[in-house]
Amino acid sequence: MRFITDIKTFAALGSGVIGSGWVSRALANGLDVLAWDPAPGAEAALRQRVANAWGALEKQGLAPGASQDRLRFVATIEACVKDADFIQESAPERLELKLELHSKISAAAKPNALIGSSTSGLLPSEFYEGSTHPERCVVGHPFNPVYLLPLVEVVGGKHTAPEAIQAAIQVYESLGMRPLHVRKEVPGFIADRLLEALWREALHLVNDGVATTGEIDDAIRFGAGLRWSFMGTFLTYTLAGGDAGMRHFMAQFGPALQLPWTHLPAPELTDKLIDDVVDGTREQLGNHSISALERYRDDCLLAVLEAVKTTKAKHGMTFAE
Ligand SMILES: NC(=O)C1=CN([C@@H]2O[C@H](COP(=O)(O)OP(=O)(O)OC[C@H]3O[C@@H](n4cnc5c(N)ncnc54)[C@H](O)[C@@H]3O)[C@@H](O)[C@H]2O)C=CC1
Ligand SMILES: C[N+](C)(C)CC(=O)CC(=O)[O-]
């Protein structure tokens, strides 16, 4: 089966926070968009959200022909999907609801139109169980705001064709995104496993009276949050190991995971896990020395600090706010 990758018409089912983000991104990329949502007043709310996002999208740069007028809100699931080249579902996070919705979407869609779900962590093998042509069905998990953040996690289920994963990656790239193929189907995928761990711990801190939510957010936004925009945890910690890199870092700070500071159970630090982490970060380092990456990290930090400061001032805020 050749899946459609040269898309002209994008269908969005569910037009809440995430659905309207997809609609905005698709319109900004010069596509025709069909949207459906069963809630009363959904069309007006969607148009309002798209209008709100449009200023940022104009600053980022619109594709030729991009226009909010190319959005058509329709009355049925069938009208939304039957002529669509690509379909993205962003309905509430309930397994039964998604199961029923996808059986209807897939029955009415062109057989070679890819179908993506925005789910934050439900398993595609489960909610695509009743779908027609499930080989074209994937998860495309985005991040809020969908029209600006590039990451989209692409996850297949037990019936998804490998070619469909590649085709979906191609489509998401054509929408200016940075797809990440999650190779193993697990609840929460990669990013939400991490975000949930952080969030759960933050709730423990509040619950234990250690910090307020504002203090916890300060702990993120004035520290690791600034460096996360350009360097992930593994490479950051490799640099934190100095010239000896990740192996020294693991020896020095790995045992503290067993104390534990957190309320989450820690993984057992087996030799295999350490080797996997060391080998993985070695690959990430490539030919770059630790000191070269430190210069890169510092340059990026300065640029981000300057950008945040300038942007906040434009909005009438001080840097400390
Ligand atoms: N809010 C977030 O930060 C993120 C949410 N997601 C995922 O995106 C999906 C949508 O979440 P949100 O946009 O946040 O929710 P939301 O509550 O803002 O929007 C859901 C929309 O679905 C509509 N809806 C209700 N029943 C429906 C049905 N049977 N078929 C189609 N639409 C229906 C509602 O009227 C509403 O407009 C969920 O699967 C969620 O896990 C993914 C990434 C981030
Ligand atoms: C809270 N959430 C699980 C819905 C968040 C996401 O899925 C991604 C995001 O935007 O943080």
Side-chain angles (χ1 to χ4, degrees):
M1 169 93 65
R2 282 186 73 83
F3 302 106
I4 305 171
T5 51
D6 181 17
I7 68 166
K8 311 265 184 296
T9 304
F10 183 101
L13 297 109
S15 59
V17 174
I18 296 303
S20 61
W22 280 113
V23 168
S24 304
R25 181 178 278 278
L27 289 170
N29 277 278
L31 300 180
D32 290 313
V33 178
L34 291 156
W36 172 80
D37 189 300
E43 177 174 3
L46 168 60
R47 291 192 186 278
Q48 172 65 38
R49 284 202 198 91
V50 173
N52 208 33
W54 206 252
L57 289 165
E58 279 176 329
K59 281 184 210 149
Q60 201 180 48
L62 299 175
S67 166
Q68 296 178 65
D69 296 340
R70 292 174 68 179
L71 166 61
R72 196 152 65 84
F73 196 90
V74 294
T76 62
I77 295 171
E78 291 69 26
C80 189
V81 303
K82 72 180 168 47
D83 297 321
D85 300 322
F86 187 88
I87 296 155
Q88 184 78 29
E89 165 269 313
S90 307
E93 190 77 334
R94 297 207 303 273
L95 179 60
E96 290 310 314
L97 184 151
K98 286 199 197 277
L99 242 177
E100 193 191 331
L101 181 60
H102 279 293
S103 75
K104 291 181 185 161
I105 292 173
S106 60
K110 295 188 260 194
N112 57 345
L114 293 161
I115 300 174
S117 169
S118 300
T119 180
S120 298
L122 298 177
L123 298 180
S125 290
E126 293 179 1
F127 64 80
Y128 283 128
E129 193 56 52
S131 292
T132 310
H133 292 299
E135 67 278 3
R136 44 59 185 277
C137 297
V138 301
V139 164
H141 174 229
F143 292 79
N144 195 36
V146 180
Y147 51 90
L148 291 183
L149 287 187
L151 182 64
V152 56
E153 292 182 304
V154 181
V155 195
K158 62 182 176 209
H159 298 301
T160 312
E163 302 77 39
I165 299 275
Q166 291 315 313
I169 286 174
Q170 214 177 311
V171 171
Y172 290 129
E173 278 174 349
S174 75
L175 293 173
M177 302 184 88
R178 169 59 165 82
L180 178 65
H181 179 201
V182 179
R183 287 175 283 106
K184 227 176 190 177
E185 187 189 13
V186 290
F189 319 133
I190 297 172
D192 277 351
R193 287 264 301 261
L194 300 173
L195 291 172
E196 186 194 89
L198 178 68
W199 187 43
R200 189 161 38 187
E201 210 50 39
L203 292 177
H204 276 306
L205 287 168
V206 174
N207 199 39
D208 295 347
V210 175
T212 64
T213 57
E215 286 164 343
I216 292 165
D217 282 356
D218 285 351
I220 295 167
R221 68 197 181 109
F222 293 112
L226 283 169
R227 68 188 180 209
W228 276 335
S229 64
F230 62 91
M231 193 179 282
T233 296
F234 281 117
L235 204 49
T236 296
Y237 283 177
T238 302
L239 270 55
D243 287 338
M246 180 51 89
R247 196 168 290 282
H248 174 58
F249 184 88
M250 292 292 277
Q252 183 161 223
F253 300 108
L257 289 173
Q258 305 299 339
L259 291 178
W261 292 337
T262 65
H263 290 240
L264 298 170
E268 191 191 343
L269 287 178
T270 60
D271 288 347
K272 183 181 180 316
L273 176 57
I274 293 171
D275 283 342
D276 284 349
V277 169
V278 170
D279 293 345
T281 50
R282 190 180 295 131
E283 198 178 323
Q284 284 178 273
L285 283 169
N287 294 328
H288 303 288
S289 67
I290 296 280
S291 56
L293 278 171
E294 282 171 341
R295 288 195 295 277
Y296 161 75
R297 177 195 61 193
D298 295 349
D299 271 353
C300 288
L301 264 179
L302 286 172
V304 171
L305 283 166
E306 189 54 38
V308 172
K309 214 183 288 177
T310 309
T311 310
K312 281 193 172 177
K314 254 198 286 182
H315 288 263
M317 288 186 265
T318 66
F319 180 66
E321 277 177 293

